[in-house]
């Protein structure tokens, strides 16, 4: 080996191998990580992995003498170990398995960049595509922005890599884009048009459904932001101030058009005389994603006049609790599907709201709910918001002596109209609870008494004039709707010295085991009682017989096998359910109490940048729609919508025709089979016929080239030789002698000579003259043209002779 070759070999192995367009693979990896983890995975882990891409990219340019192979392998194993350690940590925090795997894959993919083999780039590209596919499960504005970039990069890579592959030399630099910019521009325009159409089809809601295991993304989502976005910046978008008011977040908008005006009743109350017994509808009102089965509060009533329950200013003006207890909050995510009330429903007791739809409402709030003020528009549907609800831990409350949480006095919730409450009702309350001194047991006894001795009836009778509603229900009517039961339990518990109030809203609803969501319909509207106990705080006690509280588990039969809540909520107050108390047990902080510092604000601005840009684009489009262009009759969106509708109409028409054809086939099965067999035979025969006709046409072309060569041998010997070359090449291809892998023409002719000597000699002469014509500086003359024509005719004669009569060497 020469010194020059040795130097060249040493230089080639002094640094890692790199494939053409090395940078594209790493940009694709960045896009894949963003698609899979941005606004979804652990924020600091995501930023760290993205930061590692830069040094991994630069490692391919660092020589081995500076960054040796053994150091690269050590770093690879450290990254692999870090992946497993991080995965174990995340699993210990009960993170869904798909999120743990995706985070691990993102880091493991960077391990390939430290390899000195060029083939590992293919693995990186494959992982990037898989991460992009995973990201499509999470509708976000940033995903809509990075996918077209990925398409353009892949197209750029295909153009360059395919040309290099055809040359057989990957190091050869060919100016592909300089000479093919027109075709590339056309492809980019087609890609842009495809993406515009694809963008209009992208959902802003996630599919409601679930696979074989629980995933890390929400099953229903009405905004671009996935649920994990709240964990990225521990920030309270809407929180209660020191005065108890609700503070909305920044830059509010709404998803969709605004709804009708909010019209709230000036005086609110709940009648106990049977007037509230109208049959409810079946429409879906809202969905809730909740880790516990709870009741959804709409309105509370603290004053009873013997006929109607009403909310007094002593309770409604109370903005927050008297003191903060040691409760823990759980996250509830609501999606409103139908506006029937200005109330933002939640479980008792909300700490702060997070309006996921960027919307700027005027809210009025107190300690148990928030609602829209009058004379403003409802937000567009579906409207989503989340709320953190306090769950008190009974272990903490038992240690405290004074657990009264409200500024309103305890005695306020014991008041009753003395002149209207009958003696027999007081006697009944005393008689039922005289066997125990435990306040909780007293309330359960009263609840069970109402459940077992009275029947539920939706269309119950009204209380006669002059009669107290509870007395009439218990001693005369003995069957009624939920308002009767709730009012009766509240009065009986107050007679026993237990603070209580009536609550209206919705029962837990139907639990969908596939979507993991509670679905609340109009027929879930309900009334129940809240009773206060020093050991537990305010508890939900429902005196309505459980069999009449509609709470199905869907889908039928299968849903019951996957219901994590069971029937415990029917037996004991939902706040005391084991699943709820597990959530209330003090543990790792969910970050809701962490103040937003400078780093979090910066992270928030970065993460929300795509949504900010998206909102600006939406406003620009709206402005464009209302501009002078619209007055002139031009609107890009309208034009595009018409094209889209035309395409959809065409697809629908083709689909209908196909279905009609299938129906005809079912009714004419024998004739249909004959038609299918005929179509199959036709499909087989058509290529044969086409090949036969094509062969005839090519033979005609060869005869024409030979005839033109004879005519042009005197005036244009160059054209004559060229025509002879074309005729010989085409005759060889037609007779099964193709040129393999762009073989040299003279070698091609020599190979033919080994099979047929005469054919090889004639072909060699024609190819030799053609090479002289193309590459020799000496001009060709008529004599050479005559030789080419003579040899071509010899080839034509040989090709016309059957192979059996020719001397062919095998």
């Amino acid at each position: 080996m020469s010194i020059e070759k040795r130097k060249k070999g040493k230089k080639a192995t002094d640094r890692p191998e790199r494939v053409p367009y090395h940078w594209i693979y790493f940009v694709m990896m960045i896009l894949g990580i963003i698609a899979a983890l941005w606004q979804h995975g652990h924020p600091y882990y995501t930023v760290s992995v993205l930061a590692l891409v830069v040094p991994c990219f630069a490692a391919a340019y660092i020589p081995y003498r500076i960054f040796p192979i053994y150091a690269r392998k050590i770093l690879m194993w450290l990254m692999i170990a870090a992946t497993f350690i991080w995965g174990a940590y995340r699993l210990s925090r009960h993170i869904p398995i798909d999120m743990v795997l995706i985070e691990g894959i993102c880091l493991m993919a960077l391990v390939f960049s430290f390899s000195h083999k060029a083939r590992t780039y293919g693995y990186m590209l494959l992982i990037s595509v898989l991460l992009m596919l995973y990201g499509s499960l999470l509708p976000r504005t940033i995903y809509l922005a990075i996918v077209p970039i990925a398409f353009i990069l892949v197209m750029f890579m295909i153009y360059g890599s395919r040309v290099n592959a055809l040359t057989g030399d990957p190091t050869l630099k060919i100016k592909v884009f300089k000479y093919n910019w027109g075709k590339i521009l056309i492809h980019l325009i087609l890609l842009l048009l495809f993406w515009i159409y694809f963008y209009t089809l992208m959902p802003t809601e996630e599919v409601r459904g679930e696979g074989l295991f629980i995933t890390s993304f929400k099953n229903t989502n009405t905004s671009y932001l996935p649920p994990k976005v709240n964990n990225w910046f521990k920030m309270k978008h809407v929180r209660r101030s020191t005065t108890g008011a609700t503070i909305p977040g920044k830059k509010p908008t709404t998803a969709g058009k605004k709804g009708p005006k909010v019209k709230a009743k000036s005086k609110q109350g709940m009648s106990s005389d049977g007037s509230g017994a109208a049959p409810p509808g079946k429409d879906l009102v809202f969905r809730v994603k909740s880790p516990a089965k709870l009741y959804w509060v709409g309105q509370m009533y603290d004053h009873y006049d013997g006929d109607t329950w009403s909310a007094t200013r002593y309770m409604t003006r109370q903005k927050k609790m008297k003191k903060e207890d040691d409760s823990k909050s759980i996250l509830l995510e609501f999606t409103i599907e139908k506006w029937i009330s200005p109330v933002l429903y939640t479980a008792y007791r909300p700490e702060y709201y997070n309006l996921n739809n960027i919307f700027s409402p005027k809210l009025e709030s107190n300690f148990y709910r928030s609602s829209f003020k009058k004379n403003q528009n409802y937000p567009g549907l579906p409207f989503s918001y989340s709320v953190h609800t306090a769950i008190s831990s009974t272990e903490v409350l038992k240690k405290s002596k004074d657990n009264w949480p409200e500024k309103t006095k305890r005695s306020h919730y014991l008041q009753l109209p003395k002149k209207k409450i009958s003696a027999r009702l007081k006697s009944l309350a005393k008689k039922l609870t005289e066997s125990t001194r435990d306040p909780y047991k007293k309330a359960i006894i009263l609840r069970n008494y109402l459940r077992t001795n009275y029947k539920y009836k939706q269309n119950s009778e009204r209380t006669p004039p002059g009669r107290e509603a509870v007395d009439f229900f218990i001693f005369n009517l003995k069957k009624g709707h939920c308002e009767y039961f709730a009012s009766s339990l509240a009065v009986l518990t107050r007679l026993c010295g237990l603070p209580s109030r009536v609550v209206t809203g919705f029962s837990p609803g139907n639990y969908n085991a596939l979507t993991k969501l509670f679905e609340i319909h109009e027929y879930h509207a309900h009334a129940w009682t809240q009773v206060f106990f020093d050991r537990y705080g305010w508890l939900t006690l429902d005196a309505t017989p459980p069999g009449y509280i509609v709470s199905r588990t869907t889908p039928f039969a299968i849903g019951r096998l996957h219901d994590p809540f069971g029937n415990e909520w029917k037996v004991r107050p939902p706040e005391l359910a084991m699943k709820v108390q597990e959530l209330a047990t003090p543990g790792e902080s969910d970050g809701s109490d962490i103040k937003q510092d400078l780093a979090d604000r910066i992270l928030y601005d970065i993460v929300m940048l795509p949504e900010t840009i998206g909102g600006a684009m939406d406003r620009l489009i709206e402005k464009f729609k209302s501009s002078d262009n619209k007055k002139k009759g031009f609107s890009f969106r309208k034009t595009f919508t018409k094209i889209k509708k035309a395409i959809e109409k065409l697809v629908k028409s083709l689909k209908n025709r196909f279905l009609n054809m299938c129906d005809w086939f079912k009714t004419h099965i024998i004739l249909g089979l004959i038609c299918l067999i005929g179509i199959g035979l036709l499909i087989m025969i058509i290529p044969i016929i086409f090949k036969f006709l094509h062969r005839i046409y090519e033979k005609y072309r060869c005869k024409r080239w030979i005839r033109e060569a004879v005519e042009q041998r005197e005036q244009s010997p160059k054209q004559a030789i060229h025509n002879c070359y074309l005729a010989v090449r085409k005759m060889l291809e037609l007779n099964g002698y193709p040129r393999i892998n762009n073989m040299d023409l003279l070698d091609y002719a020599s190979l033919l000579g080994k099979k047929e000597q005469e054919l090889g000699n004639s072909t060699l002469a024609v190819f030799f003259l053609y090479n002289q014509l193309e590459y020799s500086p000496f001009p060709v003359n008529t004599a050479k043209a005559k030789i080419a024509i003579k040899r071509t005719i010899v080839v034509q004669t040989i090709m016309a002779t059957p192979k059996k009569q020719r001397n062919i060497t095998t």
Side-chain angles (χ1 to χ4, degrees):
M1 184 183 291
S2 64
I3 296 176
E4 184 179 354
K5 287 185 178 180
R6 277 183 293 175
K7 286 183 178 180
K8 184 177 180 181
K10 183 179 180 182
K11 184 178 180 181
T13 58
D14 185 51
R15 63 183 68 244
E17 296 179 17
R18 291 200 310 272
V19 297
Y21 309 108
H22 162 79
W23 60 275
I24 292 182
Y25 293 89
F26 284 88
V27 175
M28 286 293 294
M29 180 55 63
I30 292 174
L31 296 178
I33 294 171
I34 292 175
L37 298 183
W38 198 259
Q39 296 180 343
H40 184 61
H42 192 283
Y44 298 111
Y45 179 85
T46 303
V47 174
S48 301
V49 173
L50 287 173
L52 281 175
V53 176
V54 176
C56 292
F57 167 77
Y61 294 91
I62 302 176
Y64 286 138
R65 58 186 175 83
I66 299 176
F67 190 10
I69 295 178
Y70 73 87
R72 296 171 189 263
K73 290 184 177 180
I74 292 174
L75 188 56
M76 288 169 60
W77 284 109
L78 288 175
M79 291 177 67
I80 294 172
T83 302
F84 283 100
I85 293 172
W86 176 257
Y89 167 76
R90 295 286 275 170
L91 287 174
S92 68
R93 294 296 184 270
H94 306 290
I95 302 300
I97 187 65
D98 72 300
M99 175 54 64
V100 177
L101 290 175
I102 288 297
E103 289 181 346
I105 288 172
C106 290
L107 184 57
M108 289 284 283
L110 298 180
V111 172
F112 292 111
S113 63
F114 291 101
S115 175
H116 59 282
K117 302 296 182 181
R119 64 174 178 269
T120 57
Y121 284 87
Y123 301 142
M124 292 179 60
L125 182 61
L126 176 62
I127 292 174
S128 301
V129 174
L130 293 176
L131 294 176
M132 295 285 288
L133 292 175
Y134 177 83
S136 65
L137 302 175
L138 306 164
R140 293 159 296 168
T141 305
I142 193 169
Y143 186 79
L144 301 178
I146 64 177
V147 170
I149 298 174
F151 282 169
I152 293 173
L153 290 176
V154 171
M155 188 181 71
F156 186 89
M157 184 190 301
I158 291 174
Y159 268 109
S161 61
R162 290 304 88 198
V163 174
N164 283 328
L166 291 174
T167 62
D169 185 2
T171 61
L172 187 63
K173 294 183 179 180
I174 302 175
K175 298 180 180 180
V176 179
F177 303 96
K178 180 178 180 181
Y179 301 106
N180 298 278
W181 64 269
K183 296 178 181 178
I184 296 173
L185 182 61
I186 293 173
H187 288 178
L188 284 174
I189 293 173
L190 292 175
L191 178 63
L192 179 62
L193 294 175
F194 168 76
W195 179 247
I196 292 174
Y197 180 75
F198 181 67
Y199 186 92
T200 62
L201 299 179
M202 283 293 288
T204 56
E205 292 189 6
E206 296 186 14
V207 178
R208 298 186 177 98
E210 180 177 296
L212 298 178
F213 53 87
I214 298 175
T215 58
S216 60
F217 42 87
K218 198 169 86 172
N219 294 306
T220 178
N221 184 19
T222 57
S223 69
Y224 282 110
L225 301 182
K228 293 290 182 180
V229 73
N230 291 324
N231 295 334
W232 273 69
F233 30 83
K234 307 292 186 178
M235 177 183 180
K236 302 173 184 178
H237 292 260
V238 181
R239 72 177 72 191
R240 297 186 186 280
S241 66
T242 54
T243 61
T246 303
I247 306 172
K250 298 179 180 180
K251 299 181 180 178
T253 70
T254 183
K257 297 181 179 179
K258 293 182 178 180
K261 291 286 185 181
V262 175
K263 295 180 180 180
K265 296 180 180 178
S266 57
K267 183 179 180 180
Q268 297 182 351
M270 189 202 79
S271 175
S272 297
D273 62 357
S275 61
K282 298 181 179 180
D283 290 348
L284 177 66
V285 181
F286 58 91
R287 294 184 175 90
V288 188
K289 184 177 183 181
S290 171
K293 197 165 188 175
L294 303 169
Y295 283 62
W296 316 116
V297 177
Q299 177 69 47
M300 287 185 180
Y301 304 100
D302 59 331
H303 181 262
Y304 179 62
D305 61 1
D307 185 31
T308 303
W309 285 89
S310 59
T312 65
R313 59 185 180 86
Y314 299 102
M315 183 183 70
T316 55
R317 289 184 181 181
Q318 188 175 218
K319 297 296 183 181
K320 65 174 185 174
M321 297 295 96
K322 184 177 180 181
K323 62 178 182 179
E324 295 294 331
D325 54 23
D326 294 324
S327 61
K328 186 176 181 180
S329 64
I330 60 172
L331 178 64
L332 307 175
E333 297 175 78
F334 288 76
T335 301
I336 303 295
E337 300 288 351
K338 179 180 180 180
W339 288 115
I340 63 173
S341 168
V343 175
L344 295 177
Y345 295 99
T346 180
Y348 181 80
R349 172 178 51 89
E351 291 186 335
Y352 58 89
Y353 289 82
N354 176 5
L355 304 185
N356 295 339
N357 298 63
I358 310 175
F359 175 72
S360 180
K362 295 178 180 178
L363 300 178
E364 50 186 14
S365 305
N366 52 40
F367 71 100
Y368 71 89
R369 73 165 194 186
S370 289
S371 61
F372 299 120
K373 289 185 177 180
K374 291 193 298 183
N375 300 325
Q376 64 172 321
N377 291 95
Y378 282 104
L381 293 175
F383 176 74
S384 65
Y385 65 94
S386 58
V387 55
H388 285 256
T389 300
I391 297 294
S392 299
S393 173
T394 57
E395 296 297 325
V396 176
L397 290 174
K398 285 180 181 179
K399 298 176 183 179
S400 179
K401 294 182 179 180
D402 184 15
N403 294 323
W404 185 251
E406 298 185 19
K407 293 182 179 180
T408 305
K409 294 181 180 180
R410 184 192 294 254
S411 59
H412 176 75
Y413 292 100
L414 296 173
Q415 294 176 359
L416 287 171
K418 296 181 180 180
K419 295 182 180 181
K420 291 187 177 182
I421 302 300
S422 65
R424 59 179 179 176
L425 188 62
K426 296 177 183 178
S427 176
L428 176 65
K430 183 179 180 180
K431 181 179 178 180
L432 290 173
T433 58
E434 64 184 0
S435 61
T436 181
R437 293 184 179 182
D438 190 321
Y440 178 74
K441 291 182 179 179
K442 287 183 178 182
I444 295 299
I445 290 172
L446 295 172
R447 184 200 68 174
N448 293 342
Y449 174 78
L450 293 172
R451 282 185 174 185
T452 55
N453 292 280
Y454 299 88
K455 295 182 180 180
Y456 179 86
K457 186 179 179 181
Q458 179 66 47
N459 299 313
S460 56
E461 297 178 16
R462 298 174 64 94
T463 304
R467 290 290 302 274
E468 192 268 319
V470 175
D471 181 273
F472 172 73
F473 171 70
I474 290 178
F475 296 104
N476 298 104
L477 188 59
K478 297 187 178 181
K479 53 185 177 182
H481 49 73
C482 57
E483 286 89 344
Y484 271 127
F485 286 90
S487 180
S488 298
L489 182 58
V491 171
L492 290 173
T493 50
R494 287 190 177 187
L495 288 173
C496 295
L498 303 177
S500 60
R501 58 196 176 201
V502 173
V503 187
T504 58
F506 291 88
S507 60
N510 301 332
Y511 180 72
N512 191 322
L514 295 180
T515 62
K516 299 294 187 293
L517 298 173
F518 289 95
E519 298 171 347
I520 291 82
H521 297 76
E522 289 177 324
Y523 56 79
H524 288 119
H526 194 50
W528 62 94
T529 310
Q530 275 191 354
V531 183
F532 182 81
F533 306 93
D534 288 330
R535 288 190 300 165
Y536 306 116
W538 286 100
L539 296 183
T540 298
L541 292 180
D542 195 348
T544 303
Y548 295 97
I549 303 174
V550 181
S551 181
R552 305 184 185 95
T553 303
T554 59
F556 177 75
I558 299 175
R560 292 184 178 273
L561 300 177
H562 299 278
D563 185 2
F565 304 100
N567 293 320
E568 186 182 11
W569 65 280
K570 297 180 180 179
V571 180
R572 62 195 309 181
E575 294 85 357
L576 299 183
M578 292 180 62
K579 193 172 184 66
V580 177
Q581 285 302 303
E582 288 175 2
L583 297 170
T585 302
E588 183 183 0
S589 173
D590 61 357
S592 60
D593 55 345
I594 300 176
K595 294 183 178 180
Q596 189 190 17
D597 56 15
L598 179 61
D600 288 330
R601 288 199 300 272
I602 295 173
L603 180 61
Y604 174 79
D605 292 336
I606 294 173
V607 172
M608 293 300 294
L609 182 61
E611 278 65 35
T612 303
I613 297 174
M617 291 180 64
D618 291 339
R619 290 192 296 272
L620 183 63
I621 291 173
E622 292 297 328
K623 186 177 180 180
F624 175 78
K625 287 173 65 178
S626 59
S627 63
D628 293 335
N629 291 331
K630 187 176 180 180
K631 296 179 181 179
K632 295 177 182 178
F634 173 77
S635 174
F636 175 79
R637 176 170 286 187
K638 281 189 175 181
T639 305
F640 182 77
T641 304
K642 289 181 180 179
I643 296 173
K644 181 182 175 181
K645 287 183 178 179
I647 295 173
E648 291 175 349
K649 186 177 179 181
L650 177 62
V651 172
K652 186 177 181 180
S653 175
L654 294 175
K655 180 181 177 181
N656 292 333
R657 291 185 180 182
F658 176 76
L659 294 175
N660 293 334
M661 188 183 299
C662 292
D663 294 336
W664 179 87
F665 184 83
K666 290 178 181 178
T667 55
H668 304 80
I669 184 69
I670 297 176
L671 185 60
L673 288 174
I674 295 173
C675 292
L676 287 178
I677 294 172
I679 293 172
L681 292 174
L682 188 63
I683 292 173
M684 295 172 61
I685 294 172
I686 286 177
I688 298 174
I689 297 174
F690 178 79
K691 186 176 180 180
F692 175 75
L693 296 175
H694 179 71
R695 186 179 181 86
I696 293 175
Y697 174 72
E698 294 297 339
K699 286 183 178 180
Y700 167 76
R701 289 180 69 192
C702 292
K703 292 179 181 179
R704 190 187 67 187
W705 282 329
I706 295 173
R707 185 175 64 251
E708 290 177 354
V710 173
E711 294 173 356
Q712 297 171 350
R713 60 185 177 183
E714 299 292 342
Q715 292 82 8
S716 179
K718 291 183 178 181
Q719 188 62 39
I721 294 174
H722 187 265
N723 287 348
C724 289
Y725 166 75
L726 294 176
V728 170
R729 283 290 309 277
K730 184 57 65 177
M731 285 187 291
L732 292 173
E733 290 179 7
L734 292 175
N735 286 272
Y737 298 105
R739 182 183 177 187
I740 302 173
N741 295 331
N742 292 327
M743 184 186 294
D744 182 77
L745 288 175
L746 300 182
D747 293 338
Y748 178 33
S750 300
L751 183 63
L752 292 173
K754 293 180 181 180
K755 294 185 177 183
E756 295 185 61
Q757 185 176 1
E758 187 177 359
L759 177 63
N761 293 338
S762 299
T763 304
L764 182 63
V766 175
F767 287 171
F768 179 77
L769 292 173
Y770 177 74
N771 281 343
Q772 280 191 340
L773 173 67
E774 293 292 331
Y775 306 111
S776 176
F778 303 103
V780 296
N781 50 32
T782 304
K784 293 181 179 180
K786 290 180 179 180
I787 295 172
I789 294 171
K790 182 179 178 180
R791 294 293 185 178
T792 304
I793 294 173
V794 171
V795 173
Q796 184 182 23
T797 304
I798 294 172
M799 294 292 102
T801 305
K803 288 187 178 181
K804 294 181 180 180
Q805 302 177 11
R806 287 153 47 187
N807 185 17
I808 301 176
T809 304
T810 58

